[in-house]
Amino acid sequence: MWKVAIIDDDRQVLKGMKQVIPWEEIGAELVGEGLNGERGLELIREKKPDIVITDIYMPVMSGMTMIETLRKESFEGKILIHSGYADFEVARQALRLQVEDYLSKPVSRNTITEVLLRTISAIEFDIQSKNEQEKLRGQIDEYEPFVRKEQLKTVVTGTASNWNEMTLLCKTRDDQSHIVLGIEILRTSRISDVRTQDRLLFRFAINNIMKEILQAEKRSYDYVELHGYHAALILHFEKNARYSEHIEHIRTIARKIIDCVQAYLDITIRIGIGRFTENWSNLSDSLEEAFQPLVPDVRVLQSTGVFEYESTEHSQYSHIQKTTKPIKFYQQLIEDIKTTQGKNAEKMIESYMANLRVSAIPPRFSLLGSQFWAIFSFALVDEDIRLTEIFQDHSMESELNKIFTFDQYEAWLHSIIQRICMNQHWQESFKHKMAIDFIKQYIRENYANDITIAELADKVYISRNYLSQIFKNATGETINNYIISVKMEEAKRLILERKYKIYEVANKVGYNNIPYFSTTFRKYFGITPAELLT
């Protein structure tokens, strides 16, 4: 049972909260209550609750002072503020003290239930993360740096934006040949219904199995996790390696990986083999080739689970894959949804469809759609975006069977991505909203000062890049543009009051350089400050 403590100086509120919370339903119990922050502090130290629900304005000791004391004592429980006041300063402090949520009085049964369930889920996630970290701590030194892994992913998927930046990453392998093995984890009941944290552990375990096998084979390699249940294993050979001379050895390695993963983890995987390349900039071609034999229309039952590109090179789907590079397309589209909520998705789909339309042989749209749906379903579940919930009123099989033209398939792709991104927008977190609201109000109150993004990021305890990203997503404009807009609107107001000279107005909104102020004003309004007065 999750332990909950309630702190409030209003006895009626305490009574109401105890009655309205569905304790058994959410698996929680009340371990104590207090009428002020001092009593609450004693209670929390004694009972160590998982969740604290507290008012702010209380006698003897305020809720905020109590929270500050708890954080100094390294209290790790989740804290929910339950207050009848909307206070900007309290919201700012709540961000700093990592308060989980801010509830306005009176709170409904549905709202408190939803917030508590979400908080309990956050606690479970934290516990699982800690357990996972403990398991991985002893082996963390074996991992490559995160940045290199991300760079390697862009190389193998062909999504690197600046190849010159990848030179240092790849130069140690420029005297070798490389071949990509595409790994697909089959979506059996063994892994489909497990939590995200468990899926991450499965992937880690598969990586370890491959590592042991390849070390025993004394084979140099790189491993890259892709979207969902796909990964790429890059094997390195001597320069000018020939496919015919090494394919049997590669098949043996692939079969060992498949057999060991099945034996030790009870997880079924399939492996597709691409072709050799000597140039890292062409590594994405080998990746596309490796996944071509794994598409739905060539799922021939093979006891080994090993599929080779050359055996399916002349198939219809092989031609389509060469033209459209779907693995690259899926990777780019998934990353765009995760980072920008699909702002570039429309152009990506249009580009993909343009390549698809030039195919000499019309594709089977039901096949393409099934592959798209399967990959996206399992790629986005790690972001807690579950397509089965978003599209529970849809029958994908029925929809795909009605698609016969390029235009219909393109429209279907757009509709799927649009609905996914809309769902992400609805799920904007409370903490993000509080951070953005605080930043906007802080700018409005301090526009006369030289405000920097670094300063703002420090105030809400978010990195500069991440703050810039969520601010742009939430408001549609950059932080710097928002600062300028606040300054210019205030300058216009002051000028129209006709109480101050233009240089005085410039100083009041934070500009010491009068010509620069006038230029910015004209760029924003289309007229100079002087023209505004005429």
Side-chain angles (χ1 to χ4, degrees):
M1 297 287 282
W2 302 106
K3 298 186 292 184
V4 179
I6 303 175
I7 317 299
D8 201 299
D9 63 334
D10 189 328
R11 294 184 183 276
Q12 291 300 316
V13 170
L14 290 174
K15 180 179 179 181
M17 290 289 285
K18 287 189 290 185
Q19 293 176 343
V20 78
I21 295 174
W23 300 101
E24 292 187 7
E25 179 182 328
I26 65 175
E29 62 176 339
L30 179 66
V31 296
E33 55 192 73
L35 291 171
N36 57 64
E38 186 176 274
R39 178 65 188 99
L41 197 58
E42 296 173 358
L43 173 67
I44 294 165
R45 288 168 174 165
E46 177 186 352
K47 300 294 186 180
K48 296 180 174 54
D50 303 295
I51 301 172
V52 175
I53 304 174
T54 182
D55 194 3
I56 293 299
Y57 300 103
M58 296 181 292
V60 185
M61 178 186 289
S62 72
M64 196 57 67
T65 301
M66 180 191 74
I67 296 171
E68 288 179 336
T69 303
L70 288 171
R71 291 310 189 204
K72 288 178 182 178
E73 296 177 356
S74 301
F75 174 69
E76 296 182 353
K78 302 295 182 181
I79 297 175
L80 307 176
I81 290 179
H82 182 221
S83 176
Y85 298 90
D87 190 313
F88 167 71
E89 179 60 24
V90 168
R92 188 187 72 81
Q93 293 183 53
L95 279 170
R96 178 174 60 85
L97 296 171
Q98 299 179 317
V99 170
E100 192 70 16
D101 215 325
Y102 197 121
L103 303 171
S104 297
K105 294 180 179 180
V107 64
S108 67
R109 175 187 175 90
N110 288 341
T111 297
I112 191 63
T113 301
E114 178 184 344
V115 170
L116 284 172
L117 286 174
R118 188 166 63 240
T119 304
I120 289 170
S121 295
I123 295 172
E124 291 175 337
F125 177 81
D126 290 346
I127 292 173
Q128 182 63 37
S129 296
K130 288 181 180 179
N131 291 340
E132 184 178 335
Q133 289 170 8
E134 288 296 325
K135 293 177 183 178
L136 302 181
R137 187 164 295 163
Q139 302 173 15
I140 196 67
D141 291 337
E142 298 176 9
Y143 288 117
E144 298 170 330
F146 173 76
V147 172
R148 184 184 185 280
K149 282 191 173 184
E150 290 303 304
Q151 288 180 329
L152 186 58
K153 181 187 291 187
T154 66
V155 171
V156 76
T157 57
T159 59
S161 58
N162 186 342
W163 185 257
N164 290 331
E165 296 178 358
M166 302 297 108
T167 303
L168 182 62
L169 173 71
C170 306
K171 71 176 184 180
T172 56
R173 308 289 192 186
D174 59 5
D175 61 342
Q176 296 179 313
S177 295
H178 321 280
I179 193 169
V180 176
L181 277 61
I183 299 171
E184 178 185 34
I185 304 174
L186 297 187
R187 275 80 69 179
T188 62
S189 58
R190 163 72 168 150
I191 63 172
S192 294
D193 300 326
V194 300
R195 295 176 299 178
T196 297
Q197 293 75 23
D198 292 329
R199 284 194 297 274
L200 295 175
L201 288 175
F202 283 152
R203 293 176 197 168
F204 172 71
I206 291 173
N207 187 7
N208 273 349
I209 288 174
M210 285 192 294
K211 179 181 176 181
E212 291 182 8
I213 292 172
L214 292 166
Q215 284 182 339
E217 294 285 336
K218 298 182 179 179
R219 173 57 54 197
S220 175
Y221 76 98
D222 282 290
Y223 178 70
V224 180
E225 289 187 351
L226 304 174
H227 38 254
Y229 287 79
H230 294 82
L233 177 62
I234 310 166
L235 300 181
H236 308 296
F237 291 81
E238 71 278 3
K239 197 171 183 64
N240 300 319
R242 298 175 62 86
Y243 188 90
S244 58
E245 295 174 356
H246 293 282
I247 184 58
E248 189 54 46
H249 176 55
I250 294 171
R251 289 173 187 153
T252 300
I253 291 175
R255 286 194 291 267
K256 282 184 180 179
I257 293 172
I258 291 171
D259 292 344
C260 289
V261 169
Q262 185 71 58
Y264 295 125
L265 303 178
D266 193 24
I267 293 176
T268 304
I269 66 173
R270 301 189 310 158
I271 296 179
I273 303 173
R275 293 188 295 185
F276 277 105
T277 178
E278 295 178 9
N279 192 330
W280 272 70
S281 63
N282 296 329
L283 203 63
S284 61
D285 293 334
S286 185
L287 173 74
E288 297 286 350
E289 293 164 359
F291 278 100
Q292 282 182 28
L294 302 183
V295 297
D297 67 336
V298 291
R299 289 191 175 182
V300 181
L301 291 177
Q302 295 187 6
S303 59
T304 63
V306 179
F307 299 77
E308 297 169 34
Y309 166 73
E310 291 201 339
S311 65
T312 58
E313 186 176 358
H314 303 293
S315 72
Q316 171 188 343
Y317 202 85
S318 173
H319 173 78
I320 294 172
Q321 298 249 135
K322 283 182 180 178
T323 305
T324 61
K325 290 186 177 290
I327 302 301
K328 177 180 178 180
F329 168 63
Y330 295 146
Q331 183 68 36
Q332 289 177 317
L333 198 53
I334 289 166
E335 290 301 318
D336 186 56
I337 290 172
K338 290 179 179 179
T339 58
T340 73
Q341 293 187 339
K343 289 191 175 181
N344 303 304
E346 184 174 348
K347 291 181 179 179
M348 291 178 179
I349 292 173
E350 289 175 356
S351 176
Y352 170 74
M353 290 302 301
N355 290 328
L356 193 62
R357 290 173 193 273
V358 300
S359 301
I361 305 173
R364 285 171 50 194
F365 294 107
S366 60
L367 173 63
L368 288 178
S370 296
Q371 184 192 44
F372 171 87
W373 180 259
I375 288 178
F376 266 65
S377 294
F378 290 95
L380 296 177
V381 73
D382 289 344
E383 305 296 319
D384 289 327
I385 303 173
R386 302 184 182 278
L387 299 194
T388 53
E389 296 176 2
I390 299 174
F391 296 92
Q392 56 184 334
D393 56 338
H394 286 233
S395 171
M396 285 301 134
E397 182 177 357
S398 176
E399 286 187 11
L400 291 171
N401 286 335
K402 295 176 183 177
I403 297 176
F404 303 103
T405 68
F406 289 104
D407 288 343
Q408 288 176 332
Y409 186 61
E410 183 172 359
W412 181 79
L413 288 176
H414 281 303
S415 67
I416 295 297
I417 298 303
Q418 183 180 30
R419 187 155 177 179
I420 292 172
C421 294
M422 286 178 63
N423 181 265
Q424 275 191 290
H425 178 70
W426 293 333
Q427 293 180 351
E428 181 185 29
S429 73
F430 165 79
K431 290 183 179 178
H432 286 180
K433 185 177 184 302
M434 284 185 68
I436 297 304
D437 288 344
F438 168 76
I439 291 300
K440 290 167 71 174
Q441 184 164 340
Y442 182 87
I443 291 171
R444 289 194 295 268
E445 293 181 353
N446 297 275
Y447 59 84
N449 300 326
D450 183 18
I451 304 173
T452 66
I453 296 177
E455 173 189 358
L456 296 173
D458 288 342
K459 289 187 176 296
V460 293
Y461 306 93
I462 294 176
S463 72
R464 286 176 289 179
N465 290 339
Y466 191 49
L467 175 60
S468 297
Q469 176 185 317
I470 65 173
F471 190 94
K472 181 73 178 294
N473 289 342
T475 66
E477 64 181 327
T478 64
I479 294 176
N480 285 332
N481 284 345
Y482 184 78
I483 293 172
I484 290 172
S485 68
V486 171
K487 287 175 178 285
M488 291 300 102
E489 293 295 341
E490 179 61 15
K492 179 181 178 181
R493 185 187 69 80
L494 292 172
I495 290 171
L496 291 176
E497 282 185 358
R498 300 178 182 270
K499 294 180 180 179
Y500 308 99
K501 299 183 186 304
I502 290 176
Y503 76 86
E504 292 176 322
V505 171
N507 288 333
K508 284 184 175 293
V509 296
Y511 289 89
N512 295 322
N513 187 319
I514 309 306
Y516 181 69
F517 166 72
S518 296
T519 300
T520 305
F521 190 95
R522 183 172 185 174
K523 185 177 180 180
Y524 188 84
F525 289 112
I527 59 175
T528 65
E531 289 171 341
L532 182 64
L533 291 171
T534 59

